Amino acid sequence: MKFGIEFVPSDPPLKIAYYAKLAEQRGFEYVWITDHYNNRDVYSNLTVIALNTNSIKIGSGVTNSYTRNPAITASSIASIAEISGGRAILGLGPGDKSTFDVMGIKWGKPLVTTKEAIQAIRSLHEGKKVYMDGETIKLAGARLAFNGGKIPIYLGAQGPKMLELAGEIADGVLVNASHPKDFEVAVAQIRKGVDKVGHDLSEIDITAYTCFSVDPDPVKAANAAKVIVAFIVAGSSDVVLERHKIPIEAKSQISAAIAKADFGALMCGLVTSQMIEAFAICGTPEDCMKSINDLEAIGVTQIVVGSPIGPDKEKAIKLIGKEIIAKM
Ligand code: F42
């Protein structure tokens, strides 16, 4: 099992770089930075991390091809590859619709758009002059003037078609889920894509992009996870909630509490232990280790430790290094 760590750049870049360096020292192999317009810029963060680390691989986790033209993305991530000495990974997904709405960006054909963007970016990284008259992506002779080398592309995917596409064309897939039940479904879909193109499942890095909260005190770990789990429940499809036997009406109750910023209600009852079990890897290092082993048995090859990481980020990174990564 490989370990990655996700940071949301709601903290200043130098603080994130400090955590990334700590993670590198504690055995993490990947650091992923999220991309939303309302947080600090993903590529600025990746640059600062590249300059403050030596070996950890650094990726956008994930950018999209609506807010950034694929030619710009090809150039940005190739710049990170150059700055980091070849450690860059491009994580690309269809994007977060709610952030597009407020920017006035129309979210059309996410599957086709993402597929065409990956094809365009790969061709640009191969040094080609790209003419593309796709359904949604149009390039008329774009070419990069420098060489970023071969950069792995990971697809952020949850839906069945997107997971299948990942199996067909991506080097890795970042699945926003933490529970074996979700990965049973996801791996079957990824396998369909892999089979379609005659590849082997082992060629794709199946990554669990988890909500993770670890602490020697399991109650503290659970409390730290509650608000994140609330957002996951609010954003989950009915199919996913049913899979985990979570009442569908809980979604609207939690969404209403989030809309009113009623965090007291989330902390004291609305977010249940059943929800935390379904949507987070949470508890003591031993509890987390058990969940990780269960995911590995289903085919997960990378665990991304995502928000909140733990009640105290720095302590949690050290704890994961010592009690989980070193013991795997
Ligand atoms: N989104 C961000 O904006 N920023 C991030 O930092 C971020 C991180 C992240 C990390 C991991 C991860 O898994 C997702 C992450 N996301 C992030 C969210 C990501 O960008 C997507 O919003 C999320 O993965 C949801 O995508 P999805 O796989 O559910 O795909 C959606 C688009 C979907 O509906 N998929 C359907 C499916 O079955 O997979 C396919 C829909 C379809 O076929 N559409 C047709 C098409 O061509 O696109 C068109 C149909 C029509 O009628 O027009």
Side-chain angles (χ1 to χ4, degrees):
M1 182 64 82
K2 295 175 287 184
F3 284 84
I5 190 159
E6 173 228 48
F7 295 109
V8 178
S10 47
D11 281 323
L14 283 173
K15 190 167 179 188
I16 291 189
Y18 170 77
Y19 288 138
K21 181 70 190 166
L22 183 65
E24 177 180 78
Q25 289 164 339
R26 302 296 161 137
F28 286 86
E29 290 178 62
Y30 297 80
V31 56
W32 300 96
I33 301 295
T34 62
D35 181 15
H36 297 100
Y37 81 90
N38 50 327
N39 283 320
R40 292 162 181 84
D41 173 66
V42 59
Y43 294 108
S44 311
N45 271 277
L46 294 176
T47 302
V48 176
I49 292 171
L51 295 174
N52 284 282
T53 56
N54 298 309
S55 58
I56 199 162
K57 297 186 182 81
I58 50 185
S60 52
V62 298
T63 190
N64 68 82
S65 44
Y66 291 90
T67 55
R68 301 172 199 265
N69 182 285
I72 301 289
T73 296
S75 163
S76 300
I77 199 70
S79 305
I80 301 296
E82 187 173 64
I83 294 165
S84 66
R87 291 186 278 138
I89 300 189
L90 177 66
L92 185 89
D96 175 355
K97 185 177 180 305
S98 62
T99 63
F100 296 167
D101 290 345
V102 296
M103 287 187 276
I105 294 174
K106 200 166 162 281
W107 202 51
K109 300 244 168 207
L111 188 80
V112 165
T113 303
T114 309
K115 181 177 182 177
E116 291 179 354
I118 290 178
Q119 286 164 346
I121 292 165
R122 283 230 171 96
S123 299
L124 287 162
H125 285 167
E126 284 162 10
K128 293 181 182 152
K129 188 169 188 177
V130 185
Y131 292 90
M132 187 166 191
D133 186 21
E135 255 187 79
T136 62
I137 304 291
K138 314 274 180 192
L139 294 176
R143 179 157 61 195
L144 294 187
F146 69 107
N147 179 11
K150 188 175 171 354
I151 300 172
I153 301 183
Y154 281 46
L155 185 55
Q158 260 75 244
K161 288 189 192 158
M162 202 63 82
L163 288 162
E164 191 176 329
L165 177 67
E168 276 175 57
I169 64 170
D171 300 293
V173 53
L174 303 169
V175 186
N176 235 333
S178 306
H179 198 281
K181 278 187 192 169
D182 297 313
F183 278 92
E184 274 164 18
V185 176
V187 172
Q189 283 307 122
I190 297 165
R191 190 186 292 277
K192 271 194 201 168
V194 162
D195 290 347
K196 214 186 226 179
V197 291
H199 289 174
D200 194 272
L201 196 61
S202 63
E203 292 171 51
I204 182 161
D205 187 10
I206 301 181
T207 302
Y209 211 83
T210 72
C211 165
F212 199 103
S213 185
V214 67
D215 193 85
D217 179 345
V219 177
K220 281 192 188 160
N223 284 338
K226 277 184 182 168
V227 172
I228 309 283
V229 169
F231 278 93
I232 298 173
V233 173
S236 289
S237 67
D238 292 356
V239 177
V240 171
L241 295 177
E242 277 162 14
R243 189 181 295 152
H244 294 285
K245 302 198 170 22
I246 290 170
I248 306 295
E249 55 278 14
K251 181 168 151 175
S252 47
Q253 288 164 349
I254 285 181
S255 300
I258 291 174
K260 283 189 284 177
D262 185 358
F263 294 106
L266 298 176
M267 295 302 289
C268 304
L270 279 186
V271 177
T272 62
S273 52
Q274 184 193 11
M275 291 173 192
I276 295 171
E277 205 268 324
F279 296 120
I281 294 182
C282 183
T284 64
E286 295 71 30
D287 297 333
C288 296
M289 184 90 107
K290 186 186 170 307
S291 303
I292 292 166
N293 287 334
D294 291 347
L295 290 172
E296 188 168 32
I298 290 164
V300 170
T301 47
Q302 182 181 162
I303 298 285
V304 173
V305 167
S307 300
I309 304 174
D312 177 319
K313 267 198 186 70
E314 187 163 340
K315 272 194 201 157
I317 293 168
K318 290 178 182 168
L319 197 60
I320 295 164
K322 185 163 173 240
E323 299 296 336
I324 300 179
I325 298 177
K327 292 185 178 171
M328 289 292 294

